[in-house]
Amino acid sequence: MRRKTVKFVKHIPVYILLSFVVVLILMPLFWMFNSSFKAKVEILAYPPTFFAKVASMVNFEKLARRIPVMAYVKNSVIYALLTAIPGVFINSLAGYAFARLKFKGRNVLFIITLATMMIPFQVVMIPLYLVVHKLGMYDTYAGLILPKMANAISIFMMRSAFSGLPVELEESGRIDGVSEFGLFWRIMLPQCKPTIVTLIILGVNGAWNDLVWPLLVTGDISMRTLSNGLALFVGTDTVEYGAAFAGALISILPMLVLYLIGQRYFVEGTVTSGLKG
């Protein structure tokens, strides 16, 4: 008991430092949440007030009058889910092929795939836009979603996850006469749940916060995502701070909930995906 007490006392400075870092990280979120329910006078008041004197939904009403926020939320949900979930399946197929199948040029093709990670999106966005436009997918969900499904980092993570699985799983499936796709779908893929959840969280978060691509391939106001709508809202005429805080709160809450739900798998998947390359 004495030893535990001494150990705790020795770590007190570390706990204080970590607590300070947590406060620094959470302070902007706390300020944004409270400011969403404040009047403009309170937001700009000096000295600042941390809590709203009279909490109100006026800022959310202003936001809804200025922009079709629910339509933007719907577009963001469609873009995020239809990019992330089918993308996980596509990237899993590629990762499984690179990890478990033997074919000529496999390593070279994988290196080329990884090399695409070094190309900034700004370099390829114009060719991607031209392809989308030529195919008649401008201002459509297909043009928004299809080019963003597959990516090298997800393929790398799935390859690492499949490479870490024991060979006995694969061999037992082949002995039982399971097809190659059945081996992938029924035996190998369920073993990679942490990595799958990690990719879903990263994919949804990336699409939800994506600003450039939706702005590039959509011109109709009804096709804008929430990040586009809020960016254009803040830059229009004068800034309504309360409504901007309300929009930011609406934007961040789904991602916060998603991370809290899948954080255990997210941490596990991030750790294990880098063990084997």
Side-chain angles (χ1 to χ4, degrees):
M1 188 69 180
R2 181 186 177 89
R3 184 178 299 177
K4 289 183 178 180
T5 304
V6 172
K7 187 176 180 181
F8 174 78
V9 172
K10 287 176 61 178
H11 286 85
I12 284 178
V14 177
Y15 297 147
I16 293 174
L17 178 62
L18 292 177
S19 300
F20 179 71
V21 172
V22 169
V23 170
L24 286 180
I25 293 172
L26 293 181
M27 184 59 72
L29 295 176
F30 177 79
W31 180 263
M32 178 192 65
F33 179 82
N34 281 287
S35 297
S36 300
F37 301 95
K38 288 181 180 179
K40 185 176 181 180
V41 177
E42 283 191 73
I43 295 174
L44 300 177
Y46 185 84
T49 58
F50 288 97
F51 296 97
K53 294 179 181 177
V54 180
S56 164
M57 299 294 291
V58 171
N59 293 325
F60 295 92
E61 294 172 2
K62 286 182 181 179
L63 181 68
R65 285 197 300 267
R66 288 283 300 277
I67 61 174
V69 63
M70 295 312 298
Y72 292 168
V73 169
K74 182 198 73 172
N75 290 337
S76 291
V77 170
I78 292 173
Y79 177 41
L81 292 182
L82 294 186
T83 299
I85 296 176
V88 168
F89 176 70
I90 293 170
N91 295 317
S92 296
L93 286 172
Y96 177 79
F98 283 128
R100 315 300 292 202
L101 301 183
K102 309 294 183 183
F103 56 91
K104 190 175 182 180
R106 181 184 68 169
N107 293 333
V108 174
L109 188 57
F110 181 63
I111 291 172
I112 293 173
T113 302
L114 290 184
T116 62
M117 295 169 58
M118 295 183 286
I119 302 174
F121 178 70
Q122 289 79 3
V123 174
V124 300
M125 67 180 185
I126 299 303
L128 271 179
Y129 167 79
L130 294 175
V131 171
V132 167
H133 191 272
K134 289 291 184 182
L135 292 176
M137 295 191 299
Y138 182 78
D139 252 345
T140 65
Y141 287 122
L144 192 64
I145 293 166
L146 291 178
K148 303 289 284 187
M149 280 187 177
N151 60 81
I153 184 64
S154 297
I155 293 173
F156 170 77
M157 290 180 69
M158 289 308 304
R159 176 185 179 271
S160 299
F162 284 123
S163 297
L165 297 178
V167 180
E168 289 76 15
L169 283 174
E170 187 177 351
E171 291 176 346
S172 62
R174 295 189 189 283
I175 291 173
D176 293 338
V178 180
S179 65
E180 196 65 54
F181 183 79
L183 190 65
F184 159 77
W185 183 254
R186 293 163 52 193
I187 298 177
M188 308 298 278
L189 193 61
Q191 306 299 319
C192 301
K193 187 184 293 184
T195 306
I196 292 171
V197 174
T198 300
L199 291 184
I200 291 175
I201 293 174
L202 293 176
V204 170
N205 182 67
W208 186 268
N209 295 315
D210 192 2
L211 177 65
V212 176
W213 180 245
L215 197 61
L216 190 65
V217 295
T218 59
D220 193 342
I221 293 177
S222 63
M223 286 296 297
R224 287 178 184 164
T225 59
L226 185 59
S227 58
N228 295 151
L230 293 178
L232 297 174
F233 165 77
V234 171
T236 303
D237 302 326
T238 58
V239 178
E240 294 187 22
Y241 294 101
F245 278 123
L249 180 61
I250 293 173
S251 177
I252 200 174
L253 275 180
M255 295 301 98
L256 185 60
V257 171
L258 180 64
Y259 178 74
L260 290 176
I261 292 173
Q263 63 174 327
R264 180 169 65 88
Y265 293 109
F266 179 79
V267 172
E268 185 179 346
T270 304
V271 172
T272 57
S273 62
L275 294 181
K276 285 195 175 183

